[in-house]
Every structure is written in structure tokens, then in C-alpha cells.
Amino acid sequence: MGFGAAPLLIALGVLLTAGIIVVLYWVRPEPQPVVVPSNLIWRRVLDERRRREDFWRWLTSLVIALLAGLAVILAVAQPIPEGAARGGRIVVVMDTAPSMAAALPGGGTRWDQAAEQVRRILTASSETSEFLLLDTAGDRGGRSFIGRRGALEALEDLGPVHGREHRFPDVADLLGPGSDAAPAAEVIFVGDGVYVPEAPEGVERLSVFESVSNAGITAFDVRPLPSDPGRFEAFIEVVRHPVGEDDAGVVVLQIDGAGGASARRTLRPEPGTPLGETVPLTGFVAGPVRAVIAISGEDGLPADDVAHAYIPARNRLRVLLVGGPNPFWEAALRLDPRVSLSVAGPGPDALADLDAGSVDLVVVEGAPPEAMPPVPVLFAGSGSAGWLPSRLGGEAAGPGDEEGTAVMLPVVRGQMEHPLLRDLNLEDALARDVEAFDAASLGDRSPWTLLLGDSRLGLLAARESPLRSLAFAFPIARSNLPLQADFPLLLSRALSWLTDVQVRRVGLGQARVAMAAGAIFDADGREVPSRRLGSEISFDASEPSLYYAAGGGREVVVAASLLNRRASNLNQSAWAGEPPASLAPAGTVASALWPLLALFALLLIVAEWVAFHRHATV
Amino acid sequence: MSNSDTLFDNDFMERLEYLKLMATRMLPSRHRGEHRARKRGSGIELADYRPYVDGDDTRDVDWKAFLRLDKLVLRIFDEEADLPVYLFVDRSASMAFGNPPKFDFARKMAGALSYIGLMNHDLISIVWYGRKIDGWMAPKRGRNQIFRAFRFLDAGDTGGATSLAACFRTFFGSRRKRGLAVVLSDLMDEEDLLGAFDACRYQKHDMFVVQVLTPEELDPALPDEALLTDSEDGSERRVRVTPRLLDRYQKALAEHQEKVEEYCSRYGFGFCVANSGEPFEDAVMAIFKTDRFIR
């Protein structure tokens, strides 16, 4: 026979019971002293009675006290009949896939059901059992067998995890090669069969799957209009997975922006089929945007009912043109109504005292400054600096004809959808005085990414960190770019790309931001715990929300949303036809009996008290 | 213990007169108070005649019969015997209980018996006893000794334990004239009570035992939980009082009394139980009714 309670708890229960019984004897009323002429007759009576009755009275008292004590001990210890309790080494694999967060019609979530199943398994097992608690995410479970209490505490630390690949862990591998524990251990898998449909042979499977209706946002993006980077539209995709007889199938979409701007749509997606919708964000200003959907019936997963985005555009750009008067640049920049232009003369001291708070962007044509300016830079020209990509030397650096005219090289493969170049036509662009960048040096280790060029020559490069910058390998004034029809669009995009608030969209779970040093804040300004991973900052973004990463003069907005078609489909389970596991495994009977046992003990103590006063006990 | 200075007051004396009258009525055919011994001797009442033989006291020769019959005839008288009455009054601590105290009750009975005895020309001795003989009034005879007996009784006090056996061994260890030993006690004696009676019986004394008990002893009224403390030895016994326990007490008390009564009955002694809550004269009358004190 095992016991559901810990030995220390049992010992405490025994001591407590003994103490109560002793106290009950102590608190009995003291006899009233009476002086009698002689105890001669009383002695004879008592001696005779003692001989006859005391044994039985003592026996009765002892039996009642023992029964009361036994009942209390059983209530505390929760004994488990032999054979009903699990014993030995037990490996419990918890399904921590996002679908486990599905809310059930009867209350709670699948995870709650799974945790309760495991909790009952733990409490119903024998005291000597050992447990290894694993999860399907693979990094939050244990590595060695622990006791019941430790397993219960470890269970509290687990929960559905987003943004991970979920699979059944290799138990034998986790236990290490040569471990003989794996074959001897009993392995139990508790899940819903959505993300992890199969378990190895020999694994006992406990299903908590129950079909639930759900509607979710599977895509949400705020993007500038191609024709006008200063205006935005939202693209949203909604999917609906009803259970059984569907209701009206109406999904109400609400998009809210900064300053009270909002848009509302009523959508009717077909069951199981994503429905895309583009919503012009007319009247929306720069700032956070939130999309929320609502349905009339049950909704299984709240996490996919909301999505976040950010309108990054600035309404006013303070641009410093370095290099003296430049008609091309001045004319081009002043075409953009956002630009407030100032000009600085050429020379190394032009940027020496630059205040990052007073300028949003520096445009440099000609010789590059020695140090990288503390604000985003748009550079066009020749010459080298440590912060610029290295250039090719000799003739190779000047591709083109005898007059030094070079044809604009094509867009590098993979950069066709770059926000700067998407849908632009620069095929007729020509440039002179080109000192091409060394394309071979712009690899993975370089902060620069080549946008225009080929495998050898680089004409346009961009970098993301620590500040966004663009570098042309030739002076703009020595090219016909300003004469191209798409040049105003290119320049406008470049201004937006360089100065816009950087927005990073992430799924739920652990998020990373490319930032060497900084802190993460949530939408309310509270700092979120984070840690550095090389040149990145990692933090937990388990809830759909906007986060702000700030450090080194940069700010990155992180929009965390689920946006996962698979996660929104909560009923795609391989175990759909199976009934959910019973929530009353063997052994819990003892747990359910403890109130009755405690009540029985109380009744016995009361009976003993009454019996004492009726002189039936001693 | 009663501290009354007037234990034998006028009221008591009136009761004694009543007892004396009642004793006379109960024994109409006999001379009250005079006890004739079986031994013929030098009394004043003529019992018989016999021929004179040498050596007889010539003062008993009936000279008138000699003149008529010319024979020496000797007058034989019943010897007039004084009946020694030994009143043993228990003065142990247990006798101080009751309202009135058993000790006062016993003293009044002793006083009454002394009065009756002295009025009948009996020889009255009073003995205080506890673990030993604590006081003794030497044998007194004559009506004028009654107040001496009362003063002796009035001066008595209670205290200590009881041992009738030790008392009898001491008292009857000396040669005593055979008589009537009256024991006035609650008989709550841890030592061999019947052995004590044997000491008296072996000396061929008659005996009358009066067990004086309070109403509380006869029918105890105790709290449910009681710690009983013995007044004599201080021993304590914890009892949980139930009707069943009280029944057992009654039975044990009855067994104790029956044992004494059986002994007394077997050897022709008298025994009675006196309730100190009742008038003492009732107990005295009960003694008279046994036809032992007055012969």
C-alpha cells in the first residue's frame, strides 16, 4: 500500500492527532474534591469495579482513540490500495503546443485538463515513485527523475508554448546512452493530438482533445501604398473553424489606430477557408494599430483574435545635406513635403558637432566622413571610410565604357521585394565616376547588404544596424537617376526606409530583436525581462501586444501576434475520434475520501467525549 | 467535633427521663436496673433454704426456722451483681462528620446509656478510642455519678485514625470484670474488625455494637466527578459517580454491615445501625428493644 501524502506530512498528521488526543484528555474537567469520613467502602467499591469494568472501559477508550487516530492518519496520508497506484519511474510528456491553450466549452483549457490529469497521476502514485516531466517544445522539461513534489512544482512552470516546433521527445536520448531507466520507465503522453499526433509505441496516451469553435486572424500587415509611401493600408486574413451546426458565420473586424482612428468590417469567411481583406487606413496616423475580431458564439483561442501592427511613417523629416549646394539633391529632397532641409558645407568638420536629436537624416554626396554619423545616412559618391563597404581598386572599380559611363546594374537576386526597390524600373539609369563596392566582401559577416550589382560589383548597399544607411557607389549628380521617372518614388521610399520607425513583426513566443544593447518595454512602458544573445535581445512575447526595444539611439517596435493558420485550427487532431481520458484515475478515491475520514475522526472524538462523560470510557 | 458546651443540656435530660420511662414500660415484669447474677451469694433477696453445714456463715442461719423446726437452716440469697457496662466511643476523625456530627450522636447515646445504667446501679465505664485508648473514665456506680460521666463525655474530641482491635487488645488485656461492651462507632476500621470483636468475646464479655452513620454515608450525594479524600489517612480516590456506582456503594455498605451483624448474631451479640440524622433516642430505644441492655 502506498500513501498519497509525503512522509513528513504523515508524520505531522500522526503527531497532530496524538497531540489532539492528549489535549482532549487534558481539557477534561477536574474532579471536584470531596472530603469523606472514610474511603473504606469506596475503596472496596472501586477496587471491585476496577477489577470488573476498568479493563473494558480502558479498552473502549483505547479503541475509540485508535479509530479516531487511524481515521485522521488515513485522511492525511491518503493511502492508495496496492495495484491502484502507479509506481516506479514515470515519464510524463506534456503537449505544450499552442492548441493546448484552447478554451473548452465546459470551462478551462485543454492545458488545464492535461495539467489536472498529470496532477492526479502524481498524487495517486506511490511515495517512492520518480518522475521525469518533459514537454513537446523540448526545452522546458526536466533532464532527470525527480520526486513527486518536485514534479508538481515543475508542472506549474509548464504551459502552452508558441513559436516552437513541437514533437514527441526522444526519451531514451534525453536519459542518456546506456541508461537503463528508459526501458523500465512508464511513459505517459498527455496532449490533444493537434501538433503532435503520434506517440511512440508503448507510450500510454491520455487525450484531452475536445472540439472547439474558433475564429482567428491569420495575417495582418500594415503597408504603405506603392504610389504614396506616406499612406497606408492594412491587409488582414481571417479564418473560421466552427464545430457542428454553424451560426451565422459572421466575424466582426475592428481596426483601431492611434488618435482614435478606427475601421470596422463585417466578414463572412467560409468555414476553414481563410478570407483576406484589405482595409485602407484613411485617417490613421503613425503609431500602433490593433485588429480585433469577434464572433457571436464560442471562441476557442483568444490569442488569435487580436493582432498588432505599427504605422511607422514620420510626418516631418529634418534632413541635413552635407557637401555644399547641390541642385540635384536640393530639388529632389524638397519635392517631398515631409522634408525640412538644411545644408552644411564640405569638409571633415561638417558632421563633427552633429546633434542626433536635431537631425533625422544626413545626406552626403562626395567624400564620406571619417566616422559614421549618429543618425541614418544616405551616401552617394566615391571615396572610402571605415564604416562604408570596401571598394574595388584599379580598373575593376570603374565598370563601363571608355568615357567612364556605367549602366546601372540589376537588382541583386533576393532583393526584388526590398521596400526600396519593389516595382521600380531603373533599367535606363546611367552613372559616371563609379567606384564600385566589392560585392564579394558584402557577405553574411558584413552589416551591408547589396541591393544593386552583381557578384563582383556593387552599386547600392544598405545596412540595418546600428542605424539604417544607404550607400551609392557613385555621386548622384554624376548619374541620370534624378531624370528617371521612378526616382522621386525611390527617394521617397529611401527617406521613409531610413527614417521610419523600425517595425518587426514576430509570432508569439520568444522574440529576438537585432540590437546589441538595450531594453524591452511593453505597451504600458513597463520593462520586460530580456537577455542578450550575441548581437540580439531575446524576450518573451507570449501575449499578443506591441513591444518596444530601445538602445543605442535606436528604437524598434515589435508587433507580436499569433498569425498562424495552423494554430487557429484547433480541431485538426489525429485523436479527434477518441473520447477524452477520464479525469478520475485510480487512487484519487483516497483523495476524495479524506473529508469523510476526517469527519469520521471528528465524530469518533465527539463520541469518545460523550462516552467519557457518560463514564463509558476512562 | 461538636464544640457545644451544653451537649447534655436540659433538653437532653428531658429526653433521658423519657427514655427511662420507656425502658420501664418495656420491662414491666422485672426490676428495673437490678441485674441478678446467676451466682447465689450475699444478696438481700431470699432465693432458697438448705441445711446448715459446718463452715457456713452463721449470719445466714434462719433462727426463726430453728426455733420452729429445731434444725439449722441456712437462708440462701441471690447475690446482687453490679453489671459492668463498658462504653467504647469512637473518637476518630471520621466521627466528626455529619450534621449533627456522628461523634455528638455517639456521645449522646453514651450519655443516655450511662444515665440508664447508673440509675440501675450498674458499673459504667467510658472509653475514648481511636488508634488506641485515648481516655478512660473508671467504673462508676450510683446516680450521683451521672454528671461526672456527662463531663467526661463533654470533654471528648475527635481526631486520628481508628483501630478497635488495638483498643480491645489493650483494654481487655487487663483483667476486667465480665460485663457488657457497647461499641459506638461508624466501624470504618481498616483493621480486622471481627478480630477485635473476638478479643472481647474471648473474655466472655457480652457486646453490643452500634454503627453510627450519617445520612450522607447511607445515601451519598456526590458530584459526577469527585476526588474523595479520606478524613483519617488523607488517601484520595477519584470516582465518576453513576447510579450504578452508588448502587455498588450501597451493596458494599450493606455487605460490611451484614458481616458485622452476622458475627454478632452468631455469638449472641447485639448490633444496630444508627442514623445520626435521626433523634438519638430512637437509636437508644432500638437498643432496648433488642433486650440486651436491660435484663
Side-chain angles (χ1 to χ4, degrees), chain A residues 97-353:
Chain A
S99 60
M100 292 293 285
L104 300 176
T109 63
R110 290 176 185 169
W111 174 258
D112 295 336
Q113 293 283 313
E116 183 60 22
Q117 285 276 13
V118 175
R119 213 171 280 120
R120 295 191 180 200
I121 289 172
L122 295 175
T123 54
S125 60
S126 63
E127 183 60 28
T128 56
S129 299
E130 290 183 297
F131 303 93
L132 176 61
L133 203 59
L134 302 174
D135 73 333
T136 53
D139 61 347
R140 296 207 298 171
R143 285 289 181 270
S144 60
F145 284 95
I146 54 179
R148 180 166 51 192
R149 177 176 294 180
L152 285 169
E153 291 174 355
L155 179 63
E156 300 301 319
D157 296 334
L158 290 179
V161 181
H162 295 278
R164 299 289 176 84
E165 181 187 356
H166 291 271
R167 62 182 182 82
F168 195 89
D170 188 341
V171 177
D173 183 49
L174 285 172
L175 295 176
S179 169
D180 57 353
E186 181 183 0
V187 184
I188 304 169
F189 177 43
V190 188
D192 62 359
V194 175
Y195 277 74
V196 186
E198 296 297 333
E201 191 176 348
V203 173
E204 181 182 351
R205 205 172 61 187
L206 295 179
S207 172
V208 293
F209 175 79
E210 192 175 343
S211 295
V212 293
S213 297
N214 186 48
I217 301 172
T218 54
F220 183 52
D221 189 19
V222 172
R223 57 196 180 191
L225 296 177
S227 58
D228 185 356
R231 295 173 59 199
F232 291 82
E233 64 180 6
F235 173 77
I236 190 164
E237 184 185 86
V238 176
V239 69
R240 189 169 57 88
H241 297 283
V243 173
E245 290 297 322
D246 190 18
D247 55 10
V250 174
V251 177
V252 177
L253 166 67
Q254 174 85 24
I255 300 177
D256 298 307
S262 67
R264 189 182 180 91
R265 294 286 188 277
T266 300
L267 310 176
R268 297 179 184 277
E270 291 297 320
T273 303
L275 172 65
E277 179 82 4
T278 301
V279 180
L281 299 181
T282 306
F284 282 65
V285 296
V289 178
R290 187 182 67 166
V292 180
I293 61 169
I295 60 175
S296 57
E298 296 279 344
D299 190 87
L301 194 62
D304 64 357
D305 295 341
V306 60
H308 290 269
Y310 196 90
I311 297 177
R314 299 191 184 199
N315 298 324
R316 179 172 171 267
L317 296 177
R318 295 165 297 179
V319 179
L320 175 64
L321 178 60
V322 179
N326 189 321
F328 292 100
W329 275 115
E330 291 179 28
L333 290 171
R334 286 196 166 110
L335 284 176
D336 194 313
R338 297 174 293 171
V339 172
S340 173
L341 183 63
S342 57
V343 179
D349 297 335
L351 298 174
D353 300 325

Side-chain angles (χ1 to χ4, degrees), chain A residues 387-455:
Chain A
W387 58 278
L388 285 173
S390 59
R391 297 178 187 266
L392 288 172
E395 296 181 353
D401 56 15
E402 294 177 352
E403 296 178 351
T405 303
V407 177
M408 185 64 72
L409 293 174
V411 177
V412 174
R413 183 188 300 274
Q415 301 295 340
M416 300 293 289
E417 292 299 318
H418 192 279
L420 285 174
L421 305 176
R422 189 172 57 200
D423 301 330
L424 290 186
N425 183 6
L426 300 175
E427 291 180 355
D428 295 334
L430 297 174
R432 293 178 186 274
D433 301 335
V434 174
E435 284 187 35
F437 300 131
D438 183 4
S441 67
L442 305 181
D444 294 337
R445 296 184 178 179
S446 172
W448 293 91
T449 302
L450 191 62
L451 300 181
L452 295 177
D454 58 17
S455 61

Side-chain angles (χ1 to χ4, degrees), chain B residues 269-288:
Chain B
F269 298 154
F271 172 74
C272 73
V273 178
N275 186 342
S276 67
E278 297 175 354
F280 76 95
E281 53 265 35
D282 292 349
V284 175
M285 292 302 296
I287 295 174
F288 290 167

